[in-house]
C-alpha cells in the first residue's frame, strides 16, 4: 500500500479521502489471503502476535465490533474491549482521557465507533497508535464499504468498475452511504442515491459524480447492485417521513421493484435490518441477497485492515 502525500494512511483508516484505487486494491488483495486463512481447519495465524487491539465503542454494534475482535484474535493479537456503558465515562471521563488511559495500557490499535462525526480523526490526533474508524456519526464507516465491495465482487467474480450501485433510503444520516459512495466511485463504479427528498443530504456531502434521484423506478433502472439503508431514527432530530409504513409504501426494496434492474442484480444491506420497512424480508432471505455474505466478509476485510495498519503492506499470513 503506498502512502499518499502527507497522509496517515499507513497508521489510520478514517475515510477514503486520501486513498487511491491501488491502496484499496492492496487491502482487498490481502482480504483474499485472509479469506484463505479462514478456510483452513485452524483459522488462526501468528501475524499480529504481541499486538493489542482495543475496540473503543461509544455506540452500539453487533457486526462491526464482533468481527474486529474476531479479526484481531484470528491473527493472535490480544483484544481489549471498551464500551461506553459500564465505563468511567459515566463519571465524566473525556474521550481524550479514555484514549490516554488505554494507551497507557499498551494498546497498539484503536478501533473507534462514536456518534460524533470526526471522533476517530480526533483520536488519531491524540495518539501515534493505529486508528480505525468503525463509524463516526453520519460521516464515514470505511470498513463497511470495503466489505460491501469485496462481497459484491466475489458474488459476480468481477470488479465494481463500470457497474451501477443504487443506495436507497436514509442517505442523509448514513455513514455507510457516504463511505460506499466514495469507495465505489474511487473504483470506477456509477453510484446513484435514492430516497425521499427529506432523507437526501441537504448541502452536498456526497462524492463528486454521485447521482441523486428521488424516484425509485428511475434510480433502479439498470442497477447491478442495490443497497437498502435503515431509517436511522436515532440521528433524526425531527420527523423526516410520515411513518415507516408510508416510507415502505414508496421506497421498500422488493423483488417486484427490481424489475428494471439487471437480471443478476444483487441486494445488499449493511445491517441491522428492519424487515418490512426498507427491505422486504423474503428478498433479504432470497437468492439475490448478499446480506449474510456481507457479514461473513467483515472478518477477512478487518483482518486485512488490521494487518496493513499494524504490520505493513502485503500479506502472506
Ligand atoms: N453494519 C454495521 O455497522 O452494523 P453494527 O452496527 O451491528 O456494527
Amino acid at each position: 500500500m503506498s502512502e499518499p502525500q502527507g497522509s496517515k494512511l499507513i497508521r489510520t483508516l478514517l475515510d477514503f479521502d486520501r486513498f487511491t484505487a491501488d491502496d484499496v486494491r492492496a487491502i482487498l488483495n490481502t482480504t483474499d489471503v485472509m479469506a484463505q486463512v479462514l478456510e483452513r481447519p485452524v483459522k488462526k495465524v501468528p501475524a499480529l502476535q504481541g499486538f493489542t487491539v482495543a475496540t473503543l465503542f461509544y455506540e452500539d454494534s453487533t457486526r462491526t465490533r464482533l468481527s474486529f475482535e474476531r479479526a484481531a484474535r484470528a491473527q493472535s493479537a490480544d483484544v481489549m474491549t471498551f464500551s461506553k456503558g459500564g465505563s468511567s465515562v459515566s463519571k465524566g471521563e473525556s474521550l481524550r482521557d479514555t484514549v490516554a488511559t488505554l494507551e497507557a495500557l499498551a494498546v497498539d490499535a484503536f478501533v473507534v465507533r462514536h456518534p460524533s462525526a470526526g471522533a476517530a480523526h480526533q483520536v488519531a490526533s491524540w495518539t501515534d497508535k493505529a486508528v480505525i474508524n468503525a463509524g463516526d456519526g453520519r460521516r464515514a464507516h470505511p470498513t463497511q464499504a470495503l466489505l460491501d465491495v469485496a462481497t459484491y465482487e466475489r458474488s459476480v467474480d468481477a470488479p465494481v468498475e463500470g457497474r451501477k450501485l443504487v443506495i436507497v433510503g436514509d442517505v442523509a444520516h448514513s455513514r455507510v452511504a457516504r463511505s460506499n459512495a466514495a469507495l465505489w466511485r474511487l473504483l470506477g463504479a456509477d453510484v446513484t442515491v435514492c430516497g425521499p427528498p427529506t432523507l437526501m443530504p441537504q448541502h452536498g456531502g456526497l462524492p463528486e459524480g454521485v447521482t441523486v434521484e428521488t424516484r425509485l423506478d428511475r434510480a433502479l433502472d439498470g442497477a447491478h447492485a442495490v443497497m437498502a439503508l435503515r431509517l436511522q431514527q436515532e440521528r433524526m432530530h425531527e420527523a423526516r417521513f410520515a411513518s415507516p409504513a408510508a416510507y415502505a409504501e414508496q421506497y421498500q426494496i422488493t423483488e417486484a421493484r427490481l424489475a428494471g434492474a439487471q437480471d443478476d442484480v444483487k441486494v445488499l444491506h449493511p445491517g441491522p435490518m428492519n424487515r418490512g420497512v426498507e427491505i422486504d424480508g423474503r428478498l433479504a432471505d432470497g437468492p439475490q441477497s448478499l446480506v449474510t455474505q456481507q457479514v461473513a466478509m467483515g472478518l477477512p476485510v478487518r483482518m486485512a485492515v488490521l494487518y496493513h495498519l499494524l504490520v505493513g503492506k502485503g500479506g502472506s499470513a
Side-chain angles (χ1 to χ4, degrees), residues 42-64:
V42 177
K43 301 170 179 55
K44 194 159 185 165
V45 288
L48 300 185
Q49 201 160 29
F51 289 102
T52 299
V53 175
T55 51
L56 185 62
F57 275 52
Y58 283 72
E59 246 188 19
D60 294 344
S61 167
T62 298
R63 281 149 285 271
T64 311

Side-chain angles (χ1 to χ4, degrees), residues 100 184 195 277:
W184 289 62
V277 182

Side-chain angles (χ1 to χ4, degrees), residues 57 59-66 113 134 141 144 147 175-176 230 269-272 302:
F57 275 52
E59 246 188 19
D60 294 344
S61 167
T62 298
R63 281 149 285 271
T64 311
R65 174 179 212 136
L66 291 176
R113 172 167 287 192
H141 192 353
Q144 179 69 44
L147 74 87
R175 55 197 177 207
V176 173
R230 184 174 63 86
H269 192 305
R302 289 171 174 135

Side-chain angles (χ1 to χ4, degrees), residues 3-188:
E3 185 171 12
Q5 271 194 328
S7 82
K8 295 176 176 173
L9 176 60
I10 292 297
R11 189 176 65 83
T12 66
L13 174 57
L14 306 176
D15 50 41
F16 296 114
D17 287 358
R18 293 168 185 262
F19 273 60
T20 66
D22 286 347
D23 297 329
V24 171
R25 286 291 165 207
I27 294 175
L28 293 176
N29 289 342
T30 306
T31 297
D32 291 340
V33 176
M34 297 305 179
Q36 288 165 22
V37 167
L38 295 167
E39 284 168 9
R40 295 177 189 168
V42 177
K43 301 170 179 55
K44 194 159 185 165
V45 288
L48 300 185
Q49 201 160 29
F51 289 102
T52 299
V53 175
T55 51
L56 185 62
F57 275 52
Y58 283 72
E59 246 188 19
D60 294 344
S61 167
T62 298
R63 281 149 285 271
T64 311
R65 174 179 212 136
L66 291 176
S67 59
F68 262 116
E69 293 178 356
R70 175 97 172 78
R73 290 193 180 103
Q75 295 179 90
S76 305
D78 291 320
V79 174
M80 287 171 60
T81 299
F82 170 94
S83 298
K84 182 183 167 192
S87 76
S88 288
V89 172
S90 64
K91 302 169 197 163
E93 190 158 47
S94 68
L95 176 60
R96 185 169 192 158
D97 285 342
T98 301
V99 169
T101 300
L102 293 185
E103 202 171 359
L105 297 173
V107 162
D108 299 292
F110 291 93
V111 179
V112 182
R113 172 167 287 192
H114 200 282
S116 299
H121 284 75
Q122 276 202 306
V123 172
S125 74
W126 296 329
T127 176
D128 61 1
K129 306 303 181 192
V131 179
I132 300 165
N133 184 1
D136 62 330
R138 65 181 73 181
R139 220 187 66 80
H141 192 353
T143 58
Q144 179 69 44
L146 284 167
L147 74 87
D148 291 336
V149 165
T151 304
Y152 177 79
E153 291 192 338
R154 177 172 283 201
S155 76
V156 297
D157 196 21
V160 296
E161 185 179 1
R163 306 272 169 147
K164 178 180 177 182
L165 168 69
V166 184
I167 304 173
V168 181
D170 182 5
V171 178
H173 299 98
S174 177
R175 55 197 177 207
V176 173
R178 279 174 186 71
S179 283
N180 267 287
L183 186 58
W184 289 62
R185 289 294 298 141
L186 182 65
L187 298 176

